[in-house]
Amino acid sequence: MKEQVAELLGQAVDQLKAKGTIPGDHPVRIMVDNTRDKTHGDLASNLALTLAKPCGQKPRDLAEAIIESLPDNTLISKVEIAGPGFINFFLASDSVAEIVGDILEQGYDFGRNTSGQGEKVQVEFVSANPTGPLHVGHGRGAAVGDSLCRVMDANGWNVTREFYYNDAGAQINNLALSVQARVKGLTPDDPSWPEDGYRGEYIIDVANSYKAKDTIDADDQHVTGSGDPDDLEAIRHFAVAYLRREQDLDLKAFGVEFDVFFLESSLYTEGKVEATVQQLIDNGHTYEKDGALWLKTTEFGDDKDRVMRKKDGNYTYFLPDVAYHKDKFERGFKRVINEQGADHHSTVTRVRAGLQALNEGIPEGYPDYVLHQMVLVTKGGEEVKLSKRAGSYVTLRDLIDEVGRDATRYFLVSRRADSQLTFDIDLARSQSNDNPVYYIQYAHARICAVLGKASQDDLDNITTSGVAALGELELDDERELVTQLRRYPEVVQHAGQTLEPAVIATYLKELASIFHGYYNNHRILVDDPSVMMGRLALSAAIRQVLANGLDLLGVGAPEQM
RNA sequence: GCGCCCGUAGCUCAACCGGAUAGAGCACUCGCCUUCUAAGCGAGUGGUUGCAGGUUCAAGUCCUGCCGGGCGCGCCA
């Protein structure tokens, strides 16, 4: 709709350029905005304001000229000049109502677009190391990352969900030692407990399962415990598989699944780390100092150079990261988005610098990052810091068990990633109007209930006589509802462009709010068949958009509550 | 000290590429269930958008400097 109005304005500009009112060589950027105030019509353009100066005219005079040059059309019913020189467009009722027909016809596809043109995009998120249960921060990553994937998919991208983890480093060794200690019956208080060992109670479960020679099937790990307390290697494999499985179960309970699990160890075994190092050396971006090998990241915007190979011959963490992203690029992902906690933001510059130093034509801003800030969990007004199972942090499982999947996902995805989030457990679990999740779901369930009362015959005719009757809908709130529905595709697009799935949540809250108001003021199943059919069509369209939007958030759309 | 993010109503948050009178919910006050789900609706109260400059016809939004909070500044990951 915006595009169509912009198109009309474009034609008016061309005409005025031909007349000389607008300088022919002046670049014109046409902006059409939704209006905030309905007295300003449906859409507005600031075109006359931006062109006033180069044209040497008063904005309102120029607006007048632009309006006179607008081609004839059926889209717009009225145009006004307002304020300092805005051009306000009032859309014709018919063209507005059309959107309802579109929604009913397109169903699940309404709001989706093809702007991604089927290009491959990889979204890496969660990427927790298998050293313990997932915590709230991972939960935020999972909620934001998965929703982002859904949004990218809705914008026509071919999305791959990827989970990367370290299965072989010092931390994993530490994990193995901790499990081994538990297998041997030691406790964290014991003097011979491994230094910096993992102290959480979950380690006991891993140890017991290992001793019982259980078989573990995670998404990407399949191991049977040997039970041998002295076989550290066997313990390591088992512990990784065990915790991976636990994470998988949490993620499944959260409604999040991955296409690819990528092991850091494979970068070593397949020689990709070595190859990356060699390439960096060959390109002359490295030097030896103090027995270590350094990468000149300062050549690419870093504030100091970074060690890539330590004195002891091991690599620092960011080198495999560079090798990993080189691999992503070589796998054909021209676009990659990494969703991570903001506590790792210092890696952004390093990884990008490393990729530039490879000199392989990888674009400068590659990869994209979405960094989420910390999550603070509160209950009863107090900060919650500990969980029994993990010991030192609140687990994702705790939240899912306590407040439910939908509410947890909603709360974690509904705020912009770059601001800190307070997760109020009491609010999230309250089944009341305080809780936006239920507020939105309730709107969906209510419509389902109403449609359930309508006759099958009427429902069958909803797309024909229902849509045809939309002209009868003259109420302000009906008009407002249709306007909100019309904006949905823009919101999906906006979420995709800014990589901010949270805007979907905001939109749905607004749509639900307008609907609840409408529902309370007007009956849908009224005697007048024409009015009823129109309202049924409108309601069905709202239900569809609510369902589509909730789906992008990974939150369910219940038919009854 | 340096870098990144944030600062909007008492609280939690909105505000589309810079647009017109900064919006919701909670809390507080008062109303609405014999009618499709009251997990709902309506009305009222509540603001120098942290502070000070600058750019612009127009700034919560962009720029600079402060103040406050978070995170990061390792040959840890």
Side-chain angles (χ1 to χ4, degrees), chain A residues 53 88 310 418 433 439 442 446 523:
Chain A
K53 193 171 274 186
N88 291 337
K310 299 185 267 183
D418 57 12
N433 50 358
Y439 186 79
Y442 187 52
R446 264 185 157 173
R523 246 186 107 73

PDB file of all heavy atoms in Angstrom, chain A residues 53 88 310 418 433 439 442 446 523, chain B residues 5 20 35 37-38 40-41 57 76:
ATOM      1  N   LYS A  53      13.261  23.371   0.003  1.00  0.00           N
ATOM      2  CA  LYS A  53      14.474  24.175  -0.125  1.00  0.00           C
ATOM      3  C   LYS A  53      15.071  24.129  -1.529  1.00  0.00           C
ATOM      4  O   LYS A  53      15.265  25.172  -2.144  1.00  0.00           O
ATOM      5  CB  LYS A  53      15.493  23.759   0.936  1.00  0.00           C
ATOM      6  CG  LYS A  53      16.641  24.742   1.060  1.00  0.00           C
ATOM      7  CD  LYS A  53      17.535  24.447   2.253  1.00  0.00           C
ATOM      8  CE  LYS A  53      17.005  25.099   3.514  1.00  0.00           C
ATOM      9  NZ  LYS A  53      17.954  24.922   4.650  1.00  0.00           N
ATOM     10  N   ASN A  88      -1.303  14.291   3.421  1.00  0.00           N
ATOM     11  CA  ASN A  88      -1.976  13.167   4.059  1.00  0.00           C
ATOM     12  C   ASN A  88      -2.906  12.457   3.086  1.00  0.00           C
ATOM     13  O   ASN A  88      -3.672  13.096   2.377  1.00  0.00           O
ATOM     14  CB  ASN A  88      -2.790  13.663   5.268  1.00  0.00           C
ATOM     15  CG  ASN A  88      -1.886  14.142   6.388  1.00  0.00           C
ATOM     16  OD1 ASN A  88      -0.725  13.737   6.466  1.00  0.00           O
ATOM     17  ND2 ASN A  88      -2.419  14.993   7.243  1.00  0.00           N
ATOM     18  N   LYS A 310      49.825 -19.445  21.050  1.00  0.00           N
ATOM     19  CA  LYS A 310      50.486 -19.178  22.318  1.00  0.00           C
ATOM     20  C   LYS A 310      51.886 -19.780  22.346  1.00  0.00           C
ATOM     21  O   LYS A 310      52.234 -20.592  21.502  1.00  0.00           O
ATOM     22  CB  LYS A 310      49.654 -19.773  23.465  1.00  0.00           C
ATOM     23  CG  LYS A 310      48.270 -19.192  23.579  1.00  0.00           C
ATOM     24  CD  LYS A 310      47.533 -19.706  24.793  1.00  0.00           C
ATOM     25  CE  LYS A 310      46.685 -20.926  24.440  1.00  0.00           C
ATOM     26  NZ  LYS A 310      45.896 -21.399  25.577  1.00  0.00           N
ATOM     27  N   ASP A 418      19.309  -5.557  22.552  1.00  0.00           N
ATOM     28  CA  ASP A 418      20.405  -4.754  23.065  1.00  0.00           C
ATOM     29  C   ASP A 418      20.076  -3.995  24.350  1.00  0.00           C
ATOM     30  O   ASP A 418      20.846  -3.153  24.796  1.00  0.00           O
ATOM     31  CB  ASP A 418      20.958  -3.804  21.995  1.00  0.00           C
ATOM     32  CG  ASP A 418      19.885  -2.900  21.431  1.00  0.00           C
ATOM     33  OD1 ASP A 418      18.788  -2.838  22.013  1.00  0.00           O
ATOM     34  OD2 ASP A 418      20.145  -2.269  20.406  1.00  0.00           O
ATOM     35  N   ASN A 433      -4.543 -10.329  33.159  1.00  0.00           N
ATOM     36  CA  ASN A 433      -4.346  -9.315  32.127  1.00  0.00           C
ATOM     37  C   ASN A 433      -3.005  -8.596  32.270  1.00  0.00           C
ATOM     38  O   ASN A 433      -2.639  -7.776  31.451  1.00  0.00           O
ATOM     39  CB  ASN A 433      -5.488  -8.300  32.143  1.00  0.00           C
ATOM     40  CG  ASN A 433      -5.751  -7.762  33.527  1.00  0.00           C
ATOM     41  OD1 ASN A 433      -5.095  -8.173  34.484  1.00  0.00           O
ATOM     42  ND2 ASN A 433      -6.686  -6.841  33.647  1.00  0.00           N
ATOM     43  N   TYR A 439      -2.634 -12.264  26.945  1.00  0.00           N
ATOM     44  CA  TYR A 439      -3.442 -11.212  26.349  1.00  0.00           C
ATOM     45  C   TYR A 439      -3.584 -11.445  24.841  1.00  0.00           C
ATOM     46  O   TYR A 439      -4.669 -11.342  24.280  1.00  0.00           O
ATOM     47  CB  TYR A 439      -2.762  -9.871  26.625  1.00  0.00           C
ATOM     48  CG  TYR A 439      -3.527  -8.655  26.204  1.00  0.00           C
ATOM     49  CD1 TYR A 439      -4.566  -8.181  26.979  1.00  0.00           C
ATOM     50  CD2 TYR A 439      -3.199  -7.987  25.032  1.00  0.00           C
ATOM     51  CE1 TYR A 439      -5.259  -7.045  26.609  1.00  0.00           C
ATOM     52  CE2 TYR A 439      -3.880  -6.851  24.664  1.00  0.00           C
ATOM     53  CZ  TYR A 439      -4.910  -6.375  25.447  1.00  0.00           C
ATOM     54  OH  TYR A 439      -5.595  -5.259  25.079  1.00  0.00           O
ATOM     55  N   TYR A 442      -5.246 -14.896  24.179  1.00  0.00           N
ATOM     56  CA  TYR A 442      -6.668 -14.822  24.517  1.00  0.00           C
ATOM     57  C   TYR A 442      -7.472 -14.229  23.362  1.00  0.00           C
ATOM     58  O   TYR A 442      -8.588 -14.675  23.070  1.00  0.00           O
ATOM     59  CB  TYR A 442      -6.835 -13.983  25.786  1.00  0.00           C
ATOM     60  CG  TYR A 442      -8.238 -13.958  26.346  1.00  0.00           C
ATOM     61  CD1 TYR A 442      -8.946 -15.125  26.586  1.00  0.00           C
ATOM     62  CD2 TYR A 442      -8.845 -12.740  26.660  1.00  0.00           C
ATOM     63  CE1 TYR A 442     -10.224 -15.094  27.115  1.00  0.00           C
ATOM     64  CE2 TYR A 442     -10.123 -12.699  27.194  1.00  0.00           C
ATOM     65  CZ  TYR A 442     -10.814 -13.878  27.418  1.00  0.00           C
ATOM     66  OH  TYR A 442     -12.071 -13.833  27.939  1.00  0.00           O
ATOM     67  N   ARG A 446     -10.469 -16.223  21.704  1.00  0.00           N
ATOM     68  CA  ARG A 446     -11.799 -15.614  21.658  1.00  0.00           C
ATOM     69  C   ARG A 446     -12.375 -15.680  20.250  1.00  0.00           C
ATOM     70  O   ARG A 446     -13.542 -16.022  20.050  1.00  0.00           O
ATOM     71  CB  ARG A 446     -11.712 -14.134  22.052  1.00  0.00           C
ATOM     72  CG  ARG A 446     -12.011 -13.877  23.498  1.00  0.00           C
ATOM     73  CD  ARG A 446     -12.012 -12.399  23.770  1.00  0.00           C
ATOM     74  NE  ARG A 446     -12.795 -12.108  24.963  1.00  0.00           N
ATOM     75  CZ  ARG A 446     -12.866 -10.904  25.534  1.00  0.00           C
ATOM     76  NH1 ARG A 446     -12.198  -9.893  25.024  1.00  0.00           N
ATOM     77  NH2 ARG A 446     -13.609 -10.721  26.594  1.00  0.00           N
ATOM     78  N   ARG A 523     -21.042  -6.793  18.997  1.00  0.00           N
ATOM     79  CA  ARG A 523     -21.267  -8.222  18.773  1.00  0.00           C
ATOM     80  C   ARG A 523     -20.894  -8.568  17.348  1.00  0.00           C
ATOM     81  O   ARG A 523     -21.105  -7.789  16.425  1.00  0.00           O
ATOM     82  CB  ARG A 523     -22.746  -8.536  18.996  1.00  0.00           C
ATOM     83  CG  ARG A 523     -23.012  -9.424  20.175  1.00  0.00           C
ATOM     84  CD  ARG A 523     -24.496  -9.787  20.210  1.00  0.00           C
ATOM     85  NE  ARG A 523     -24.702 -11.178  19.808  1.00  0.00           N
ATOM     86  CZ  ARG A 523     -24.387 -12.206  20.585  1.00  0.00           C
ATOM     87  NH1 ARG A 523     -23.830 -12.012  21.758  1.00  0.00           N
ATOM     88  NH2 ARG A 523     -24.617 -13.436  20.186  1.00  0.00           N
TER      89      ARG A 523
ATOM     90  P     C B   5      27.482   0.784  20.419  1.00  0.00           P
ATOM     91  OP1   C B   5      26.786   0.732  19.120  1.00  0.00           O
ATOM     92  OP2   C B   5      27.992   2.060  20.954  1.00  0.00           O
ATOM     93  O5'   C B   5      26.531   0.146  21.533  1.00  0.00           O
ATOM     94  C5'   C B   5      25.798  -1.048  21.252  1.00  0.00           C
ATOM     95  C4'   C B   5      25.042  -1.480  22.476  1.00  0.00           C
ATOM     96  O4'   C B   5      25.967  -1.717  23.575  1.00  0.00           O
ATOM     97  C3'   C B   5      24.085  -0.447  23.059  1.00  0.00           C
ATOM     98  O3'   C B   5      22.871  -0.373  22.351  1.00  0.00           O
ATOM     99  C2'   C B   5      23.905  -0.985  24.482  1.00  0.00           C
ATOM    100  O2'   C B   5      23.077  -2.131  24.485  1.00  0.00           O
ATOM    101  C1'   C B   5      25.338  -1.413  24.810  1.00  0.00           C
ATOM    102  N1    C B   5      26.079  -0.336  25.492  1.00  0.00           N
ATOM    103  C2    C B   5      25.836  -0.139  26.864  1.00  0.00           C
ATOM    104  O2    C B   5      25.020  -0.871  27.429  1.00  0.00           O
ATOM    105  N3    C B   5      26.497   0.843  27.513  1.00  0.00           N
ATOM    106  C4    C B   5      27.363   1.614  26.857  1.00  0.00           C
ATOM    107  N4    C B   5      27.992   2.571  27.553  1.00  0.00           N
ATOM    108  C5    C B   5      27.622   1.440  25.460  1.00  0.00           C
ATOM    109  C6    C B   5      26.965   0.463  24.826  1.00  0.00           C
ATOM    110  P     A B  20       5.589  13.273  15.021  1.00  0.00           P
ATOM    111  OP1   A B  20       6.798  13.247  15.866  1.00  0.00           O
ATOM    112  OP2   A B  20       4.618  12.170  15.055  1.00  0.00           O
ATOM    113  O5'   A B  20       4.832  14.634  15.314  1.00  0.00           O
ATOM    114  C5'   A B  20       5.500  15.888  15.210  1.00  0.00           C
ATOM    115  C4'   A B  20       4.469  16.922  14.831  1.00  0.00           C
ATOM    116  O4'   A B  20       4.102  16.747  13.452  1.00  0.00           O
ATOM    117  C3'   A B  20       3.187  16.828  15.653  1.00  0.00           C
ATOM    118  O3'   A B  20       2.700  18.135  15.883  1.00  0.00           O
ATOM    119  C2'   A B  20       2.235  16.084  14.723  1.00  0.00           C
ATOM    120  O2'   A B  20       0.888  16.385  14.922  1.00  0.00           O
ATOM    121  C1'   A B  20       2.697  16.595  13.358  1.00  0.00           C
ATOM    122  N9    A B  20       2.408  15.635  12.275  1.00  0.00           N
ATOM    123  C8    A B  20       2.887  14.367  12.140  1.00  0.00           C
ATOM    124  N7    A B  20       2.467  13.745  11.062  1.00  0.00           N
ATOM    125  C5    A B  20       1.639  14.671  10.458  1.00  0.00           C
ATOM    126  C6    A B  20       0.886  14.629   9.283  1.00  0.00           C
ATOM    127  N6    A B  20       0.834  13.574   8.467  1.00  0.00           N
ATOM    128  N1    A B  20       0.168  15.715   8.972  1.00  0.00           N
ATOM    129  C2    A B  20       0.216  16.775   9.781  1.00  0.00           C
ATOM    130  N3    A B  20       0.896  16.944  10.911  1.00  0.00           N
ATOM    131  C4    A B  20       1.599  15.835  11.201  1.00  0.00           C
ATOM    132  P     U B  35     -24.935 -13.096  30.025  1.00  0.00           P
ATOM    133  OP1   U B  35     -24.104 -14.294  29.694  1.00  0.00           O
ATOM    134  OP2   U B  35     -24.299 -11.865  30.544  1.00  0.00           O
ATOM    135  O5'   U B  35     -25.825 -12.714  28.778  1.00  0.00           O
ATOM    136  C5'   U B  35     -26.306 -13.710  27.877  1.00  0.00           C
ATOM    137  C4'   U B  35     -26.183 -13.220  26.453  1.00  0.00           C
ATOM    138  O4'   U B  35     -26.692 -11.858  26.368  1.00  0.00           O
ATOM    139  C3'   U B  35     -24.742 -13.084  25.962  1.00  0.00           C
ATOM    140  O3'   U B  35     -24.261 -14.323  25.457  1.00  0.00           O
ATOM    141  C2'   U B  35     -24.872 -12.041  24.854  1.00  0.00           C
ATOM    142  O2'   U B  35     -25.345 -12.616  23.659  1.00  0.00           O
ATOM    143  C1'   U B  35     -25.940 -11.100  25.437  1.00  0.00           C
ATOM    144  N1    U B  35     -25.365  -9.942  26.132  1.00  0.00           N
ATOM    145  C2    U B  35     -24.945  -8.886  25.355  1.00  0.00           C
ATOM    146  O2    U B  35     -25.035  -8.878  24.141  1.00  0.00           O
ATOM    147  N3    U B  35     -24.396  -7.835  26.054  1.00  0.00           N
ATOM    148  C4    U B  35     -24.239  -7.737  27.416  1.00  0.00           C
ATOM    149  O4    U B  35     -23.732  -6.725  27.890  1.00  0.00           O
ATOM    150  C5    U B  35     -24.700  -8.871  28.164  1.00  0.00           C
ATOM    151  C6    U B  35     -25.232  -9.910  27.503  1.00  0.00           C
ATOM    152  P     U B  37     -18.077 -17.634  23.660  1.00  0.00           P
ATOM    153  OP1   U B  37     -17.360 -17.503  22.407  1.00  0.00           O
ATOM    154  OP2   U B  37     -18.053 -18.926  24.393  1.00  0.00           O
ATOM    155  O5'   U B  37     -17.518 -16.490  24.644  1.00  0.00           O
ATOM    156  C5'   U B  37     -18.013 -16.300  25.945  1.00  0.00           C
ATOM    157  C4'   U B  37     -16.839 -16.117  26.874  1.00  0.00           C
ATOM    158  O4'   U B  37     -15.881 -17.201  26.669  1.00  0.00           O
ATOM    159  C3'   U B  37     -16.062 -14.812  26.695  1.00  0.00           C
ATOM    160  O3'   U B  37     -15.804 -14.255  27.990  1.00  0.00           O
ATOM    161  C2'   U B  37     -14.738 -15.276  26.056  1.00  0.00           C
ATOM    162  O2'   U B  37     -13.653 -14.460  26.427  1.00  0.00           O
ATOM    163  C1'   U B  37     -14.583 -16.653  26.662  1.00  0.00           C
ATOM    164  N1    U B  37     -13.700 -17.550  25.933  1.00  0.00           N
ATOM    165  C2    U B  37     -12.537 -17.914  26.575  1.00  0.00           C
ATOM    166  O2    U B  37     -12.233 -17.507  27.679  1.00  0.00           O
ATOM    167  N3    U B  37     -11.738 -18.753  25.856  1.00  0.00           N
ATOM    168  C4    U B  37     -11.987 -19.270  24.611  1.00  0.00           C
ATOM    169  O4    U B  37     -11.177 -20.029  24.099  1.00  0.00           O
ATOM    170  C5    U B  37     -13.218 -18.846  24.013  1.00  0.00           C
ATOM    171  C6    U B  37     -14.008 -18.023  24.682  1.00  0.00           C
ATOM    172  P     A B  38     -16.105 -12.703  28.256  1.00  0.00           P
ATOM    173  OP1   A B  38     -17.501 -12.577  28.664  1.00  0.00           O
ATOM    174  OP2   A B  38     -15.621 -11.922  27.100  1.00  0.00           O
ATOM    175  O5'   A B  38     -15.210 -12.333  29.513  1.00  0.00           O
ATOM    176  C5'   A B  38     -13.807 -12.184  29.362  1.00  0.00           C
ATOM    177  C4'   A B  38     -13.208 -11.904  30.720  1.00  0.00           C
ATOM    178  O4'   A B  38     -13.669 -10.595  31.163  1.00  0.00           O
ATOM    179  C3'   A B  38     -13.634 -12.895  31.780  1.00  0.00           C
ATOM    180  O3'   A B  38     -12.560 -13.126  32.674  1.00  0.00           O
ATOM    181  C2'   A B  38     -14.743 -12.152  32.528  1.00  0.00           C
ATOM    182  O2'   A B  38     -14.858 -12.533  33.882  1.00  0.00           O
ATOM    183  C1'   A B  38     -14.245 -10.707  32.428  1.00  0.00           C
ATOM    184  N9    A B  38     -15.348  -9.753  32.520  1.00  0.00           N
ATOM    185  C8    A B  38     -16.315  -9.475  31.597  1.00  0.00           C
ATOM    186  N7    A B  38     -17.175  -8.567  31.990  1.00  0.00           N
ATOM    187  C5    A B  38     -16.739  -8.224  33.257  1.00  0.00           C
ATOM    188  C6    A B  38     -17.225  -7.322  34.212  1.00  0.00           C
ATOM    189  N6    A B  38     -18.294  -6.566  34.026  1.00  0.00           N
ATOM    190  N1    A B  38     -16.562  -7.231  35.378  1.00  0.00           N
ATOM    191  C2    A B  38     -15.488  -8.000  35.577  1.00  0.00           C
ATOM    192  N3    A B  38     -14.926  -8.880  34.746  1.00  0.00           N
ATOM    193  C4    A B  38     -15.605  -8.948  33.604  1.00  0.00           C
ATOM    194  P     G B  40      -6.888  -9.812  30.897  1.00  0.00           P
ATOM    195  OP1   G B  40      -5.671  -9.255  30.257  1.00  0.00           O
ATOM    196  OP2   G B  40      -7.231  -9.444  32.272  1.00  0.00           O
ATOM    197  O5'   G B  40      -8.135  -9.475  29.972  1.00  0.00           O
ATOM    198  C5'   G B  40      -8.065  -9.632  28.556  1.00  0.00           C
ATOM    199  C4'   G B  40      -9.349  -9.164  27.940  1.00  0.00           C
ATOM    200  O4'   G B  40     -10.476  -9.795  28.629  1.00  0.00           O
ATOM    201  C3'   G B  40      -9.626  -7.671  28.088  1.00  0.00           C
ATOM    202  O3'   G B  40      -8.955  -6.912  27.103  1.00  0.00           O
ATOM    203  C2'   G B  40     -11.147  -7.639  27.929  1.00  0.00           C
ATOM    204  O2'   G B  40     -11.528  -7.843  26.585  1.00  0.00           O
ATOM    205  C1'   G B  40     -11.546  -8.876  28.739  1.00  0.00           C
ATOM    206  N9    G B  40     -11.703  -8.523  30.145  1.00  0.00           N
ATOM    207  C8    G B  40     -10.930  -8.918  31.202  1.00  0.00           C
ATOM    208  N7    G B  40     -11.311  -8.414  32.346  1.00  0.00           N
ATOM    209  C5    G B  40     -12.402  -7.615  32.026  1.00  0.00           C
ATOM    210  C6    G B  40     -13.230  -6.809  32.841  1.00  0.00           C
ATOM    211  O6    G B  40     -13.158  -6.639  34.064  1.00  0.00           O
ATOM    212  N1    G B  40     -14.215  -6.175  32.109  1.00  0.00           N
ATOM    213  C2    G B  40     -14.381  -6.296  30.753  1.00  0.00           C
ATOM    214  N2    G B  40     -15.373  -5.603  30.213  1.00  0.00           N
ATOM    215  N3    G B  40     -13.612  -7.046  29.971  1.00  0.00           N
ATOM    216  C4    G B  40     -12.661  -7.672  30.668  1.00  0.00           C
ATOM    217  P     C B  41      -8.500  -5.434  27.428  1.00  0.00           P
ATOM    218  OP1   C B  41      -7.673  -4.976  26.303  1.00  0.00           O
ATOM    219  OP2   C B  41      -7.991  -5.329  28.800  1.00  0.00           O
ATOM    220  O5'   C B  41      -9.897  -4.678  27.369  1.00  0.00           O
ATOM    221  C5'   C B  41     -10.612  -4.607  26.152  1.00  0.00           C
ATOM    222  C4'   C B  41     -11.892  -3.854  26.374  1.00  0.00           C
ATOM    223  O4'   C B  41     -12.649  -4.477  27.443  1.00  0.00           O
ATOM    224  C3'   C B  41     -11.714  -2.415  26.851  1.00  0.00           C
ATOM    225  O3'   C B  41     -11.435  -1.533  25.780  1.00  0.00           O
ATOM    226  C2'   C B  41     -13.058  -2.141  27.501  1.00  0.00           C
ATOM    227  O2'   C B  41     -14.062  -1.917  26.533  1.00  0.00           O
ATOM    228  C1'   C B  41     -13.343  -3.481  28.179  1.00  0.00           C
ATOM    229  N1    C B  41     -12.862  -3.504  29.571  1.00  0.00           N
ATOM    230  C2    C B  41     -13.605  -2.826  30.545  1.00  0.00           C
ATOM    231  O2    C B  41     -14.631  -2.220  30.198  1.00  0.00           O
ATOM    232  N3    C B  41     -13.185  -2.834  31.830  1.00  0.00           N
ATOM    233  C4    C B  41     -12.076  -3.494  32.158  1.00  0.00           C
ATOM    234  N4    C B  41     -11.698  -3.473  33.443  1.00  0.00           N
ATOM    235  C5    C B  41     -11.293  -4.189  31.191  1.00  0.00           C
ATOM    236  C6    C B  41     -11.719  -4.172  29.924  1.00  0.00           C
ATOM    237  P     C B  57      17.148  23.969   7.604  1.00  0.00           P
ATOM    238  OP1   C B  57      17.010  24.159   6.150  1.00  0.00           O
ATOM    239  OP2   C B  57      17.990  24.882   8.402  1.00  0.00           O
ATOM    240  O5'   C B  57      15.696  23.941   8.259  1.00  0.00           O
ATOM    241  C5'   C B  57      15.016  25.164   8.512  1.00  0.00           C
ATOM    242  C4'   C B  57      13.596  24.876   8.899  1.00  0.00           C
ATOM    243  O4'   C B  57      12.897  24.265   7.779  1.00  0.00           O
ATOM    244  C3'   C B  57      13.421  23.859  10.018  1.00  0.00           C
ATOM    245  O3'   C B  57      13.573  24.447  11.289  1.00  0.00           O
ATOM    246  C2'   C B  57      12.015  23.355   9.777  1.00  0.00           C
ATOM    247  O2'   C B  57      11.054  24.272  10.255  1.00  0.00           O
ATOM    248  C1'   C B  57      11.956  23.331   8.248  1.00  0.00           C
ATOM    249  N1    C B  57      12.289  22.002   7.684  1.00  0.00           N
ATOM    250  C2    C B  57      11.359  20.966   7.817  1.00  0.00           C
ATOM    251  O2    C B  57      10.300  21.185   8.412  1.00  0.00           O
ATOM    252  N3    C B  57      11.645  19.762   7.308  1.00  0.00           N
ATOM    253  C4    C B  57      12.795  19.557   6.666  1.00  0.00           C
ATOM    254  N4    C B  57      13.028  18.352   6.167  1.00  0.00           N
ATOM    255  C5    C B  57      13.766  20.602   6.507  1.00  0.00           C
ATOM    256  C6    C B  57      13.472  21.799   7.028  1.00  0.00           C
ATOM    257  P     C B  76      46.277 -18.112  27.773  1.00  0.00           P
ATOM    258  OP1   C B  76      47.027 -18.143  29.038  1.00  0.00           O
ATOM    259  OP2   C B  76      45.930 -19.366  27.096  1.00  0.00           O
ATOM    260  O5'   C B  76      44.927 -17.286  28.009  1.00  0.00           O
ATOM    261  C5'   C B  76      43.786 -17.567  27.264  1.00  0.00           C
ATOM    262  C4'   C B  76      42.801 -18.338  28.114  1.00  0.00           C
ATOM    263  O4'   C B  76      42.259 -17.452  29.127  1.00  0.00           O
ATOM    264  C3'   C B  76      41.590 -18.841  27.373  1.00  0.00           C
ATOM    265  O3'   C B  76      41.889 -20.078  26.751  1.00  0.00           O
ATOM    266  C2'   C B  76      40.580 -18.993  28.491  1.00  0.00           C
ATOM    267  O2'   C B  76      40.815 -20.183  29.216  1.00  0.00           O
ATOM    268  C1'   C B  76      40.929 -17.796  29.396  1.00  0.00           C
ATOM    269  N1    C B  76      40.072 -16.616  29.141  1.00  0.00           N
ATOM    270  C2    C B  76      38.790 -16.576  29.725  1.00  0.00           C
ATOM    271  O2    C B  76      38.421 -17.524  30.407  1.00  0.00           O
ATOM    272  N3    C B  76      38.002 -15.487  29.514  1.00  0.00           N
ATOM    273  C4    C B  76      38.448 -14.479  28.764  1.00  0.00           C
ATOM    274  N4    C B  76      37.647 -13.448  28.599  1.00  0.00           N
ATOM    275  C5    C B  76      39.741 -14.510  28.150  1.00  0.00           C
ATOM    276  C6    C B  76      40.502 -15.587  28.359  1.00  0.00           C
TER     277        C B  76
END
